[in-house]
Amino acid sequence: MSDQGSRAEVSITASEAEQIRQVLGDLDYDPAGSSAYIGELRRRVYSGFPERLVRLLEVIKSSNSAAYAYLVVDNLPIDSGVRGSPQFGETGRQFKDGVLSENLLAALGAAIGEPYSISHEGLELVNNLTPHKHTRNDYTGLGSEVELDFHIENAAQAFMPEGDTSPLALLLLGLRAAPEGEGRGPFTRVADARLALARLSDEDLEALYGRNFIIRVPYRWRGATPTPRDNTDLSPVLSGPLELPRVTVAFYPDMVLPVNQRARTALENFHREVRAVSEAIDIKPGRLVFVNNRFALHSRDSFVPSFDSNDRAYRWVQRIMVTTNLWNFRSFGKRQERVFDPFLLPRASEPVRSRNADARQPALSEQA
């Protein structure tokens, strides 16, 4: 393993890859993410995964100043027979032999925390990120011809009234790439915010720590229940100690609105330094990238995608999102057990009594 402080690179050996394949190969993938499935994944990780990979997963969960911003893991086993790529709403199982990649992402997510999905990001626990022709100008993982500038995933969700529903981490796994001569896919770029913040002035830091910014909700979240809103109240984009900060920012257009020139200058300086310290990563087949969404920002270059003879995109990356617990998602409805829909209200097991209804009931002393 190569460890460079804020990041690490791990190369899985052939024997370790076969070990992982054996551990997960006979398990049915549950796209709903049932409790039984998640529990079985955890059992298999801790009883059968290579020991050094298990140790690394435990390090990821640490809260000390040596915490990784991101990891790159190479040579992971993935399914054979990849023969296309899914569009939104289609399952990846149609386009390859097996569900090893889904099980692998879900297993790593379950070992780190609580894996989940948001229904407008993907209708299964594991999301499929492939470029679509009709969404090429969208600022999402399904777009292509616009740059997804550096951002914390769902940054505004950290300040919503129902609780923080931004991810703890993202896991991205490459499954398919364009053949030689068809043009490379885009780079994913990752930056440790701690390195960028160390290059800023005290004045910039003071502005970033202040409630000087309105953070807009990603457009696919706008109008979500139970508290429809398009942006946060005045909020900081930086909180916590500099060695382990919480960053809540998105640098693609009009996502963060500074309230004055001092805040605008600090935000521009932060953006410049994030770009300066970033690393470009090609998420090729068998390569996994772990992004610590608390203080690692990521971006994706704009690109012109290539398609096979069936009009299926060559680029296919799978993703799973991980949170510390699922409590804050209780205000959302569900499409499946771990696939939450913020546009649906949760099903109530019984009618909710209003304060007025309670007020009409006699007090215990009156009933006696």
Side-chain angles (χ1 to χ4, degrees):
M1 183 174 82
S2 172
D3 190 329
Q4 300 181 28
S6 66
R7 61 180 289 273
E9 293 181 3
V10 180
S11 184
I12 298 298
T13 67
S15 61
E16 288 173 330
E18 182 58 28
Q19 186 177 348
I20 293 169
R21 189 182 295 274
Q22 291 294 324
V23 168
L24 297 177
D26 65 342
L27 183 62
D28 289 335
Y29 164 57
D30 180 359
S34 68
S35 298
Y37 174 64
I38 297 300
E40 179 62 17
L41 287 171
R42 289 179 174 134
R43 187 189 69 79
R44 294 191 183 207
V45 167
Y46 285 104
S47 65
F49 265 36
E51 184 178 347
R52 70 181 181 125
L53 188 54
V54 172
R55 289 200 304 269
L56 183 62
L57 294 173
E58 292 302 307
V59 170
I60 286 174
K61 294 187 285 186
S62 69
S63 61
N64 57 50
S65 58
Y68 292 119
Y70 55 102
L71 304 173
V72 179
V73 184
D74 277 322
N75 304 323
L76 284 165
I78 57 175
D79 303 283
S80 59
V82 177
R83 51 189 173 270
S85 63
Q87 295 191 6
F88 188 83
E90 295 179 325
T91 181
R93 291 168 289 182
Q94 297 174 240
F95 301 96
K96 55 190 177 67
D97 299 334
V99 290
L100 177 60
S101 64
E102 287 89 351
N103 283 337
L104 177 58
L105 277 171
L108 295 174
I112 295 167
E114 299 292 345
Y116 72 97
S117 178
I118 298 296
S119 60
H120 57 248
E121 303 280 357
L123 298 175
E124 298 183 1
L125 180 63
V126 173
N127 305 155
N128 295 298
L129 306 182
T130 61
H132 298 355
K133 290 182 177 180
H134 66 283
T135 59
R136 62 184 181 274
N137 293 317
D138 288 2
Y139 284 93
T140 73
L142 307 182
S144 56
E145 295 185 15
V146 293
E147 177 191 11
L148 280 181
D149 207 344
F150 285 96
H151 61 284
I152 293 292
E153 193 75 16
N154 295 339
Q157 301 310 120
F159 300 105
M160 292 297 108
E162 60 268 18
D164 182 356
T165 54
S166 63
L168 161 69
L170 308 175
L171 296 170
L172 303 163
L173 176 64
L175 287 188
R176 193 188 194 209
E180 197 71 29
E182 291 285 341
R184 69 162 182 82
F187 283 118
T188 296
R189 300 178 189 271
V190 189
D192 185 344
R194 297 173 298 183
L195 302 179
L197 293 168
R199 299 159 67 118
L200 297 180
S201 68
D202 289 345
E203 191 177 18
D204 284 340
L205 292 174
E206 182 180 5
L208 297 175
Y209 272 114
R211 295 184 180 276
N212 297 318
F213 306 91
I214 295 171
I215 306 170
R216 300 198 71 195
V217 172
Y219 79 90
R220 290 197 293 181
W221 282 81
R222 293 172 192 172
T225 57
T227 50
R229 56 192 302 178
D230 290 349
N231 50 262
T232 68
D233 297 327
L234 286 176
S235 304
V237 299
L238 181 63
S239 59
L242 283 174
E243 64 272 15
L244 282 174
R246 180 72 188 277
V247 179
T248 45
V249 72
F251 287 115
Y252 47 92
D254 299 322
M255 289 300 292
V256 178
L257 309 177
V259 297
N260 54 45
Q261 186 55 47
R262 175 65 279 213
R264 183 180 302 280
T265 299
L267 193 67
E268 291 171 351
N269 291 342
F270 186 28
H271 189 194
R272 182 190 66 240
E273 299 304 338
V274 164
R275 285 186 174 274
V277 302
S278 66
E279 177 190 6
I281 303 171
D282 181 10
I283 306 182
K284 58 188 181 181
R287 171 173 285 174
L288 180 136
V289 179
F290 160 85
V291 180
N292 185 331
N293 197 55
R294 295 297 189 248
F295 55 83
L297 295 93
H298 67 287
S299 74
R300 191 219 63 220
D301 293 350
S302 62
F303 68 109
V304 178
S306 53
F307 296 84
D308 62 23
S309 59
N310 294 316
D311 218 25
R312 299 287 177 168
Y314 278 114
R315 185 177 194 257
W316 183 6
V317 172
Q318 287 188 319
R319 175 188 65 190
I320 201 163
M321 294 184 284
V322 183
T323 186
T324 50
N325 64 68
L326 300 175
W327 174 254
N328 286 343
F329 295 84
R330 68 196 185 280
S331 297
F332 298 162
K334 293 181 180 181
R335 295 292 181 179
Q336 303 199 69
E337 187 163 341
R338 286 176 182 252
V339 180
F340 297 96
D341 188 338
F343 292 87
L344 290 177
L345 289 172
R347 295 175 184 169
S349 57
E350 58 183 29
V352 178
R353 295 196 305 174
S354 70
R355 289 176 179 266
N356 290 336
D358 287 337
R360 288 194 297 269
Q361 299 298 320
L364 289 177
S365 59
E366 296 171 341
Q367 296 178 39

